Amino acid sequence: MGLFDSHAHYDDPRFGGDLDEVVALISSESEICPCGVETVVNIGCDVPTSRLCLELADKYPLFYAAVGIHPQDAHTFNENSIAELKEMLEHPKAVAIGEIGLDYKYENAPRQVQKDVFRRLMELARETGYPVCIHDRDAHGDVFDIIREFPDVKGVMHSFSSSPEMAKQYVRMGWYISFSGTVTFKNAAVVPEAAKAVPLDRLLVETDAPYLAPVPYRGKRNKSCYAYATCARLAELHGVSTEEMVQITRENALRFFKMLQK
């Protein structure tokens, strides 16, 4: 039972030269990840990268895909975007809509444009029944308010960075919380506290590869086998073994992405 990396970007150009070798590495048992990586969900950031994530899912058996428009790319949204995303969701390895949300740190698109696109994509999730993967950077209040407008949509807060109290609110709403390598960073003190506040049955683990590599790999190009170190930290916070945390987060991800039915 291998590790499930719930959020990665192997479509990123940083993997352009050696992706075959990286996939072979992460799929194998190693000192870095004794259980190996069994499943990865690659997350689209706009229409072209969403299509590329589906192409990667066709090529590599362990890859699945989410399709969506990142808030930093909200300015690329046009009248054809929804139709194109709906068509992509018909792919048998499409498992979610994402990543979507708000980003007030890097405002490549005006905040109102981000909000409008976010709502349109939440409407798509409500219409299609797919879960959503949420990007929230420095926009906690507005993200929460928009999510509450769609009580029938369920999702995961990707690379969670808000407070334990906010994590508990999302859990009460039936949502999942995903943690990346930031839970291992010494300068991210609130993140471990939030992780402790999330029940075991709502935890997911991710890399956000090639970004946010956990300690002791911080600064390196992230890849899915490094998520074992993140699982180890989550296991420490919850008082279980790393192997148990790998299994718990894998089962949670399969349930969240509805992959038990695929």
Side-chain angles (χ1 to χ4, degrees):
M1 302 289 283
L3 188 147
F4 193 125
D5 180 358
S6 67
H7 191 117
H9 297 281
Y10 284 102
D11 59 293
D12 190 281
R14 291 171 180 82
F15 293 108
D18 63 345
L19 185 55
D20 287 347
E21 291 83 356
V22 171
V23 171
L25 171 67
I26 66 175
S27 301
S28 304
E29 296 178 2
S30 65
E31 183 177 348
I32 294 172
C33 183
C35 58
V37 176
E38 187 169 316
T39 311
V40 177
V41 176
N42 283 305
I43 311 290
C45 291
D46 55 17
V47 169
T49 57
S50 294
R51 290 196 182 281
L52 181 52
C53 288
L54 289 173
E55 292 174 12
L56 293 176
D58 284 332
K59 182 176 181 179
Y60 300 104
L62 78 165
F63 282 175
Y64 288 77
V67 302
I69 298 177
H70 191 288
Q72 293 185 39
D73 297 287
H75 60 281
T76 69
F77 183 89
N78 59 51
E79 290 306 312
N80 296 323
S81 299
I82 293 295
E84 291 180 276
L85 292 172
K86 286 181 71 173
E87 179 264 326
M88 284 186 265
L89 287 169
E90 296 177 3
H91 190 287
K93 295 186 81 174
V95 294
I97 295 171
E99 62 189 279
I100 65 176
L102 301 175
D103 192 319
Y104 290 172
K105 182 175 182 179
Y106 302 108
E107 295 186 49
N108 291 358
R111 292 187 182 190
Q112 191 57 52
V113 171
Q114 292 187 42
K115 291 178 182 179
D116 292 344
V117 173
F118 187 13
R119 288 188 172 96
R120 291 289 300 276
L121 296 170
M122 290 292 284
E123 289 169 0
L124 177 62
R126 180 167 60 191
E127 176 186 347
T128 60
Y130 277 85
V132 294
C133 303
I134 299 296
H135 175 100
D136 170 11
R137 181 149 44 192
D138 297 347
H140 304 320
D142 285 351
V143 166
F144 186 71
D145 288 345
I146 291 175
I147 284 173
R148 288 198 300 177
E149 296 174 15
F150 299 87
D152 46 351
V153 174
K154 301 303 178 187
V156 58
M157 301 304 296
H158 133 71
S159 191
F160 192 76
S161 61
S162 189
S163 65
E165 293 73 21
M166 186 66 80
K168 292 175 184 177
Q169 290 193 63
Y170 281 117
V171 168
R172 285 194 291 269
M173 292 163 56
W175 280 53
Y176 289 73
I177 310 293
S178 179
F179 291 94
S180 66
T182 55
V183 77
T184 70
F185 296 174
K186 291 182 178 180
N187 63 347
V190 71
V191 180
E193 294 303 313
K196 287 195 290 187
V198 178
L200 285 172
D201 64 350
R202 295 300 175 85
L203 279 173
L204 298 184
V205 69
E206 63 170 275
T207 55
D208 202 23
Y211 314 103
L212 301 179
V215 175
Y217 311 106
R218 192 171 184 183
K220 295 184 178 181
R221 181 185 64 171
N222 204 0
K223 47 186 175 282
S224 297
C225 52
Y226 290 169
Y228 191 81
T230 305
C231 276
R233 177 61 173 144
L234 291 173
E236 177 185 10
L237 293 168
H238 279 271
V240 300
S241 70
T242 304
E243 291 72 22
E244 287 175 297
M245 185 59 69
V246 168
Q247 181 176 351
I248 288 166
T249 53
R250 180 181 182 277
E251 291 175 353
N252 291 346
L254 289 171
R255 184 170 62 252
F256 170 75
F257 289 112
K258 303 178 181 178
M259 289 171 62
L260 296 172
Q261 306 167 16
K262 290 184 177 286

